[in-house]
Amino acid sequence: MNMDINQVKQAFADHFEGKCAVYASPGRINLIGEHTDYNGGFVFPGAVDCGIVAAILPNGLDKVRAYSIDMNELAEFGLNEEDAPQQGWAKYIFGVCREMAKLGVEVKGFDCAFAGDVPLGAGMSSSAALESTFAFALNELFAEGKIDKFALAKVGQMTEHHYVGVNCGIMDQFASVFGKKGNLMRLDCRSMEFEYFPFNPEGYKLLLVNSVVKHELVDSPYNKRRESCERVAKHLGVETLRDAEFEDLERVKGEISEEDYKRAKYVIGEKQRVLDVCDALIKGDYETVGQRMYQTHWGMSKDYEVSCEELDFLAELAEKCGVTGSRIMGGGFGGCTINLVKEELYDNFVATAKREFAAKYGHEPKIYDVVISDGARRLE
Ligand code: GLA
């Protein structure tokens, strides 16, 4: 974690009393496997070196007092279902408390101060970082660490479902909890089996280009994508699209909406692309990895329709610069592209992306080198 722990401890000391413990959880990248998690497919994420750091201490009361350093705002709320706070950011913490309670944990009041350095709206899961930090901390503070790591990831996911309104899959919280330095993880979201993959592609760099664009869409497009997938799966008589092949989809093409057809087509293709990338990584075949990344981008753009003009522009620009692979990362509707680039092309790509993006959209994109790091943990 790159953040200054002392700043967080100082903020805690400014607002509360006593000796706090300090916890942290990271955001994530995802090499490939987008919108596959809630379809029972594979994902290939890794934790990053930015995240949330929180200083926490039980306060012997029946309420939580939480101070967000970044928002410079204090929230106070009780621990019962009817006590939901007003502040958007505090809902995540409240949700985690409630979901832990549903697991039988006797969550009591606590004081906390926290800050984060995951860029918001970048598709790097700042919210999962927040959820995992508190799930991990409450497990230690009120459950003697008895809740297993998968259940902690689920607590974050259920917080999104029940207290935020996003019917997300498990990828982000899984990556934030299970992350391991230098390793990506291939997770089978149906069986929940996973493998660590050491990721150190010699001669290549992995970088994010953040468009700093976030298209706020009112009608919860993420949930709509999920509904499309579930409708097609139901129509095919399978549990999730994991169990569907292109032939199955073609058979029912005339019976489902064109929109649902396109959504399912993307997901079925993406399921295979993750497996292709795993094989290619084992062989050190980065050309194939890169090709699949581009295919994912255009699938997300044309069929899943979660890209946007700015991200399409960045993927095209990457291709022009000879970048091996580039695609929109995360849920979509703005945020970053993830890029696999040969070291010798890195400087030119970064300079060109900055210059040409700024010429067209009036601001430079932000560039982050990916440093694959550890998951949720206690720092002090
Ligand atoms: C968001 C969700 C994840 C996943 C991705 C898309 O990050 O939280 O569960 O569905 O979008 O891959």
Side-chain angles (χ1 to χ4, degrees), residues 81-97:
E81 197 60 28
E82 62 275 16
D83 296 329
Q86 290 304 313
Q87 298 88 337
W89 59 267
K91 291 205 169 96
Y92 292 90
I93 303 173
F94 175 73
V96 169
C97 294

Side-chain angles (χ1 to χ4, degrees), residues 98-152:
R98 292 298 309 151
E99 292 296 332
M100 290 295 278
K102 289 178 200 169
L103 292 179
V105 176
E106 272 189 57
V107 179
K108 305 217 174 69
F110 58 89
D111 294 334
C112 67
F114 73 97
D117 63 351
V118 185
L120 298 181
M124 295 171 69
S125 296
S126 51
S127 54
L130 183 56
E131 291 147 7
S132 305
T133 303
F134 281 89
F136 190 92
L138 298 192
N139 185 33
E140 282 209 347
L141 296 171
F142 302 116
E144 295 161 354
K146 279 199 293 257
I147 308 291
D148 74 66
K149 282 167 92 178
F150 270 116
L152 293 180

Side-chain angles (χ1 to χ4, degrees), residues 35 121 213-217 221-222 225 304-308 311 328 331-335:
H35 292 276
V213 169
K214 187 75 200 161
H215 295 282
E216 287 301 344
L217 300 167
Y222 182 93
R225 295 301 181 285
Y304 220 60
E305 295 181 278
V306 294
S307 184
C308 56
L311 273 300
I328 180 172
F333 312 105

